[in-house]
Amino acid sequence: MTPLHRPTLRETLAAAGADAESLERAADTLRRADDAALPWYIRAATGFGAWVAACFFLGFLTLTGLFREHGVNFVFGAVILALAVWLSTRDKGGEFVRQLALVLGLSGQGFVLASLEILKLEIIGIGLFGAALAAALLVLHRDPVHRFLCAGGALTGLLVAAGKAEIAWLGEALVVAALAVVVALGGRPEARRAPPLSGLRVPVRFGLLATSLGVLAFSLGKELRAEWMSPVTSVGLTALLGVQMFRDMAALGAAPARRLLLIPVLLVVGYIAQSAPGVAAALIVLGMALRERDTLLLLFGVVFLAVFLGGFYYELALPLWHKAGVLALSGAFALAVRGVVLRLLPSEGRA
Amino acid sequence: MSDAAPIRDPLATGARASDLERLRGTLPDAVLERAAARLAAPPPVDQWRAALSLGLALLGATLLGAAVIHAVAFNWQAMGHAVRLCLPLVAMTGCALAGWRLGMERLGGVILLSLACLLAGAALLVHGQTYQTGAHAWQLFATWAVLIAPWVWVARFAPLALPWVFLVNVAFGAFWESHDFLGLRTREVVGTSITTLANAALLLAWERWGERFLRAGDGRWGPRVLGLMAVVPVTFATWWSLLETDRQALLLTISGLTLGALLLAMHHAYRRVRPDLFQLTVVAFSVVSCLTVGGARVIFRLTSIGDGGVLLMAVWVVALVGGAATWLRARHREISA
């Protein structure tokens, strides 16, 4: 059985009570929908064209000297934001209009944020205003890519405000909380809601995830880590990983005594997380990927685990020869954990 | 030669929540909700076991491999030339022998032979560094490509054949980098056009014999990558010729004729002989990009419109992309029918 194996749609629907006639109807519907939809590469190429055209248009407006006044920028930004939201709610228009709504939405936010001097706001205020604007657009703008960027933008705005307020732990707590939200939103069916509240979960999850992991990338450099990172991140992320692992073990029906075997693994991860907190975050993402059988999450997890683990070993202040020893011991530890896992999780065929 | 595609079964793919949303209105809500609950359930123990076993084995092997690399790096200076050279050669020979023992019918066998091909490059690199041969980059890549060609032939494995084609392209590119015949901007235009013709010939060969000759070559990805490798370089060469002022007519004739002939051939082949919308998209957007660059040249260099030219470019791009999208939508309907 492959790690991300999913039952087929036919198996899933049949198990949910669909009869043969319903299954054929469903196949027909999906076939017609697939034939009507343009393939991704045509949409991507057309979308790229929309971005190029929009850049030329905005370039022309800039060259006219229209944007020398902050007031004009603010009004222009608000107008094109409204236009972008309206375009995003239209079902017709195809990929070009969709991408136009996206580029106008992003440009509008840029114009508004760049002109906030007229409101006499400090950096903290700009951060909070940006977060509030992104949160509002997250709901109003229907495009999933725009929603993904707005989720990341809202978190970034809060992090900027927290950083400027010089409350050291607040930014770190925000990153841990964002990852906790990502974990909490996974593994359950999305509730049915009417627009504009429908279709929010996936872009919000990935927006928060990409931003959190991006912020954690700052922990790769020793100086940066020492400057802004306290044990809040490493302890918080290790605790979140622990909660996730215990929950999964419970879902698999493991006896409480067996669940205690997770503690040594968590202690090792916690130790590594002190100097590479991203390792714990990447393991959290890998856990989600396996539970949800999600290829994109798996890709995120593998890439970030490689980056953070690589950073951890690179920064070890040891001669190459000793580093080789530490790497060999770590490899042996991973293989030992594999042995324990295979003993703890007997194959269902043999159970 | 037009292939009659078998009727697709959209229910045979792995189930996703988004598929269930597309079935709203077709199936009763109760069925869809039960299906959604099944999708959200955690995987069975066997799947966790397989995933953790594979993940931890890969992690352990990677860390142990990194330990070996660190140990070699630590002792590198102390090693003699022969030992340095022997390391990749021994690894290469080991991989090739292990692959041969497993056999080319098994995935493990072709993967090991592919690894041996990679290690052959590492051996050449170490040889060049250790003995300071002074060889040009193109000679290294060309030697590498020639040396592993028999293994690529024996493996008949599409995921190995395509990187080999890429290696040949790199060798060609590096060769044109250091050779300029008759002051004809060989690297930018003439060399690129010749490389393109070679890639187009390989594309034709892949379409003609690929499915019979290559393993894992039965999908459309191989010809599509080759199509990109043929079209993209000569498209860039045409942009370059459009923007160049020195000997522009000659350079534009060379690149334009190559690109035009290639695009016409691909248009005929992928519209009439073996319908493929991806290849037609490549053709369409190659034309769009050349017309965009050509338009920019006319607007900004040959006229004195000034800032208004930027607005004109926006309109020009919208018209070109809109035209291409309309044409591709019609081809999509034609192919789907």
Side-chain angles (χ1 to χ4, degrees), chain A residues 83-94:
Chain A
L83 178 64
V85 169
W86 177 72
L87 285 175
S88 78
T89 58
R90 283 164 53 89
D91 285 335
K92 290 182 180 173

Side-chain angles (χ1 to χ4, degrees), chain A residues 1 3 5-10 16 23 25 29 31 34-35 37 41 56 192 291 293 324 338 345 347-348 350, chain B residues 8-13 15 22 24 26 34 38 40-41 43 46-47 49-50 53 67 70 75 278 310 332:
Chain A
M1 184 177 279
H5 171 80
R6 289 167 174 275
T8 65
L9 199 49
R10 185 177 293 280
L23 288 175
R25 221 171 40 240
T29 304
R31 214 174 280 128
D34 286 345
D35 285 346
Y41 41 84
F56 274 121
R192 285 191 68 195
R291 192 179 326 100
R293 290 165 272 204
R338 178 176 178 269
L345 299 175
S347 168
E348 276 179 348
R350 288 194 284 120
Chain B
R8 283 177 299 108
D9 180 9
L11 302 185
T13 55
R22 292 159 74 201
R24 292 243 174 252
T26 303
R34 278 198 297 273
R38 292 186 76 83
D46 266 359
Q47 201 162 337
R49 197 173 189 273
S53 168
H70 276 75
N75 292 296
F278 182 89
V310 183
H332 177 56

Side-chain angles (χ1 to χ4, degrees), chain A residues 155 158-178 215-216 225-237:
Chain A
L155 179 59
L158 291 177
L159 287 170
V160 167
K164 201 64 193 171
E166 292 183 0
I167 308 171
W169 57 269
L170 187 56
E172 296 180 66
L174 277 170
V175 171
V176 176
V215 170
L216 284 170
R225 193 167 61 238
E227 194 181 317
W228 75 274
M229 212 164 256
S230 69
V232 171
T233 307
S234 46
V235 172
L237 291 178

Side-chain angles (χ1 to χ4, degrees), chain B residues 44-307:
Chain B
V45 174
D46 266 359
Q47 201 162 337
W48 279 103
R49 197 173 189 273
L52 291 172
S53 168
L54 179 68
L56 287 165
L58 282 176
L59 180 66
T62 308
L63 290 170
L64 288 174
V68 172
I69 290 171
H70 276 75
V72 170
F74 179 76
N75 292 296
W76 188 251
Q77 294 299 333
M79 288 178 190
H81 286 183
V83 178
R84 285 186 198 178
L85 193 58
C86 273
L87 281 173
L89 284 176
V90 166
M92 180 191 77
T93 314
C95 284
L97 285 175
W100 173 67
R101 264 195 76 80
L102 273 176
M104 291 303 107
E105 293 75 32
R106 294 171 69 175
L107 184 64
V110 281
I111 287 179
L112 280 167
L113 197 61
S114 307
L115 203 56
C117 291
L118 194 69
L119 287 164
L124 283 174
L125 194 73
V126 172
H127 177 263
Q129 279 206 334
T130 309
Y131 295 106
Q132 293 296 318
T133 56
H136 290 291
W138 74 267
Q139 287 170 319
L140 170 74
F141 290 118
T143 313
W144 187 5
V146 169
L147 281 178
I148 64 171
W151 283 346
V152 175
W153 181 265
V154 169
R156 297 189 171 197
F157 187 47
L160 177 62
L162 214 52
W164 182 80
V165 173
F166 184 71
L167 186 63
V168 173
N169 271 255
V170 173
F172 261 122
F175 177 77
W176 300 124
E177 194 83 26
S178 54
H179 293 79
D180 190 14
F181 298 118
L182 307 171
L184 263 178
R185 298 281 185 188
T186 312
R187 185 187 62 179
E188 289 88 353
V189 178
V190 181
T192 309
S193 299
I194 293 173
T195 312
T196 287
L197 291 176
N199 287 339
L202 284 170
L203 172 63
L204 182 66
W206 193 303
E207 290 287 17
R208 188 76 185 78
W209 298 290
E211 279 180 29
R212 254 186 301 158
F213 182 76
L214 292 165
R215 274 189 293 269
D218 46 352
R220 293 298 302 156
W221 62 271
R224 288 176 175 184
V225 174
L226 270 178
L228 282 171
M229 285 168 81
V231 173
V232 171
V234 75
T235 302
F236 280 129
T238 308
W239 294 6
W240 200 89
S241 306
L242 282 164
L243 298 174
E244 176 64 30
T245 48
D246 186 28
R247 295 187 187 216
Q248 194 198 25
L250 179 62
L251 296 177
L252 197 53
T253 307
I254 295 170
S255 58
L257 279 178
T258 313
L259 181 66
L262 177 67
L263 296 186
L264 279 175
M266 284 180 71
H267 173 263
H268 174 73
Y270 293 115
R271 197 172 160 197
R272 305 280 177 225
V273 184
R274 180 169 288 184
D276 187 334
L277 197 58
F278 182 89
Q279 304 284 40
L280 291 177
T281 308
V282 172
V283 169
F285 277 88
S286 168
V287 173
V288 165
S289 69
C290 288
L291 289 176
T292 304
V293 174
R297 161 130 186 145
V298 171
I299 290 170
F300 294 118
R301 284 214 188 153
L302 304 181
T303 65
S304 51
I305 301 174
D307 294 347

